[in-house]
Amino acid sequence: MKTPTAQQIAAIRRARGTGLAILVHHYQRDEVVRHADILGDSLELSRQVPGLTARDIVFCGVHFMAETAAMLAGPGQRVHLPTPDAACVMANMAPGPLVEAVLDRLAAAGRDVLPLAYVNSSAAVKAACGRRGGTICTSANAATMLKWALDQGRGVLFLPDKMLGQNTCRRLGVAADSMHILDVREGGRRLDLEAARRAEVLFWPGQCVIHSRFKPGDIEAVRRENPETKVVVHPECSPETVALADAAGSTSFIIKYVAEAPPGADIVIGTELHLVARLASQYQGLKTIRPLRESACTNMAKGTEETLLAALTALDTAVPVTVPDDVREPARAAVQRMLDVSARGGR
Ligand code: 13P
Ligand code: SF4
C-alpha cells in the first residue's frame, strides 16, 4: 500500500517525465530506494551522471555525492540534495585547506607525491588532486586507481580513508614498511618528513566511524558460532577486520556476493545497516542475512520520503548544489581521469 507521500512523489515523477532523474545510494532507506531511477554505489552513480539528459537530478545520498554529480552535470542541469545537511563524517576529516597545506609542505621537503582521493571527499580536495596530476577512486575501483597512481612513479598520498588505503595496498602487495600514516595535526607542522620520504604510499589519518565499529572480535564470534557462515565486509573496515573476512568490496560487490550465494547460505555483512536490512528482507526464507554489528550512517538516514517529496516540490525554486568554477574545473579533471582510467582497467 502506497503512503500519501509516496503517491505524491509518484505523481511528480509522472508529470516531470524525462526531465527528472532520481539517483539513490544503496545506504538510503527503503522508502527512498523505492523511488530511484538509478540505484547504485558511488562509482556507478558518478558514471551515470554525464549520460543523463534530465534537467533536474535529485541525488539521495550525502553531500560529496551530490557535489560530484554537480561537477559532472552538463550546462543547464541542476543537481538537488534533499538533505543539504547530510555530510560524510569521513570526508570532513580532510578539510581542503589542510590538504593543500600538507601537500605543499611535503613538496617543499622534496616529497612531491601524487594525491589520490577517495570519492568520499570534498570538491576542494578533489581539486587539490586535479591540480597536481592526481585523481580520485571509489571503493569499487580503488585497486585499479592505486595501481595507476603507483605506476606514475611519484609515490602516492591516499586520502582521506587510511583503512581503504591500507586494504588496497595489501591487495596490491605493497610492503608494510612502504606505508606511512601522516600526522596532520597543527596544520601539517607535525609531519614526519623523513618517514614520508622513505614510504611509497602515505595515508591521510581519516576513517569512517560507521565501518570502524566492526572489529576482528566480531568475526571471531561469528566463526565460533558457525564456522560455515560467510562474512563479507566493506573495505572501509580496518585491515585486521578485512583480513579475517571471507570477502571485502564495495556496496555493489556485497549485493552481488549475496545474490550469487547458494540457497540456504548464511551470510554476515559488515557494512551500513540500511543496506544489510534490505538484503535480509529481500532474501527472507531463501538465505540468512545478518549484520556483523548494527551500525547505521546517521547522515544517510536523514533521507526520508518526506525530504524527497519536499525536494521534488521545490525543484523550480530551490538553489541547486554548485561548485565554484575555480574548484570545479580541477576537481572535474580529477574525476574524469578516474572515469577514463577505470574504464580502461575494467571497473
Ligand atoms: P560505495 O562506494 O561502496 O558505494 O560506498 C560509499 C560509502 O560511503 C561507504 O561508506
Ligand atoms: Fe561517510 Fe561512512 Fe556514512 Fe559512508 S558510511 S557516507 S563513509 S560516514
Side-chain angles (χ1 to χ4, degrees), residues 25 27 41-42 64-65 118 120 138-139 211 234 236 250-251:
H25 187 266
Y27 287 164
D41 68 15
S42 305
F64 77 82
M65 296 180 175
Y118 189 22
N120 296 40
T138 74
S139 60
H211 288 88
H234 196 280
E236 287 177 13
S250 71
T251 49

Side-chain angles (χ1 to χ4, degrees), residues 29-340:
R29 296 172 188 271
D30 289 355
E31 65 190 58
V32 176
V33 167
R34 71 169 71 106
H35 299 291
D37 290 307
I38 304 171
L39 174 67
D41 68 15
S42 305
L43 179 59
E44 290 156 349
L45 293 172
S46 2
R47 269 189 185 153
Q48 296 285 343
V49 175
L52 294 177
T53 53
R55 187 200 74 165
D56 290 293
I57 300 168
V58 176
F59 208 118
C60 302
V62 290
H63 187 262
F64 77 82
M65 296 180 175
E67 207 180 40
T68 308
M71 286 182 302
L72 294 170
Q77 283 184 309
R78 298 153 58 90
V79 175
H80 308 265
L81 176 64
T83 51
D85 62 337
C88 168
V89 178
M90 175 166 66
N92 287 353
M93 289 177 187
L98 182 57
V99 170
E100 294 277 2
V102 166
L103 284 165
D104 287 349
R105 180 131 201 270
L106 288 168
R111 192 74 182 100
D112 181 28
V113 281
L114 183 147
L116 173 60
Y118 189 22
V119 67
N120 296 40
S121 55
S122 67
V125 168
K126 292 181 177 83
C129 295
R131 281 190 212 102
R132 292 167 175 84
T135 182
I136 71 156
C137 71
T138 74
S139 60
N141 66 10
T144 304
M145 295 311 300
L146 180 58
K147 184 169 178 327
W148 176 87
L150 288 169
D151 286 347
Q152 308 312 303
R154 287 165 55 189
V156 175
L157 168 60
F158 191 97
L159 71 162
D161 187 5
K162 65 177 180 186
M163 304 301 198
L164 179 65
Q166 291 173 94
N167 286 321
T168 310
C169 279
R170 283 191 182 191
R171 246 181 94 180
L172 293 181
V174 176
D177 61 4
S178 298
M179 307 179 208
H180 171 66
I181 300 173
L182 296 174
D183 183 343
V184 299
R185 289 175 292 175
E186 294 176 19
R189 282 185 294 279
R190 289 225 202 169
L191 292 176
D192 180 343
L193 295 170
E194 259 322 298
R197 273 190 212 99
R198 279 194 308 272
E200 193 180 11
V201 186
L202 310 177
F203 303 114
W204 194 266
Q207 60 187 316
C208 167
V209 288
I210 286 74
H211 288 88
S212 304
R213 292 189 191 125
F214 302 111
K215 304 286 182 204
D218 297 333
I219 301 187
E220 283 156 7
V222 169
R223 302 252 189 262
R224 273 197 302 277
E225 191 188 294
N226 180 3
E228 299 302 312
T229 300
K230 297 290 182 203
V231 181
V232 56
V233 300
H234 196 280
E236 287 177 13
C237 296
S238 73
E240 297 74 24
T241 304
V242 169
L244 283 183
D246 293 288
S250 71
T251 49
S252 291
F253 172 91
I254 292 171
I255 292 166
K256 191 161 173 272
Y257 185 92
V258 172
E260 289 175 355
D266 184 22
I267 304 172
V268 166
I269 304 179
T271 197
E272 205 279 335
L273 187 60
H274 289 91
L275 172 57
V276 184
R278 183 172 324 117
L279 288 169
S281 67
Q282 199 178 324
Y283 287 95
Q284 200 174 11
L286 293 171
K287 305 174 190 184
T288 307
I289 313 295
R290 291 173 288 150
L292 183 56
R293 177 184 279 275
E294 296 204 346
S295 189
C297 179
T298 46
N299 280 292
M300 282 283 184
K302 287 175 182 168
T304 62
E305 224 161 37
E306 279 70 31
T307 61
L308 176 56
L309 176 59
L312 293 178
T313 309
L315 284 180
D316 297 327
T317 50
V319 179
V321 178
T322 52
V323 181
D325 282 347
D326 59 326
V327 174
R328 181 188 163 105
E329 279 320 308
R332 221 173 64 80
V335 177
Q336 193 56 50
R337 198 168 283 138
M338 170 192 77
L339 295 174
D340 295 345

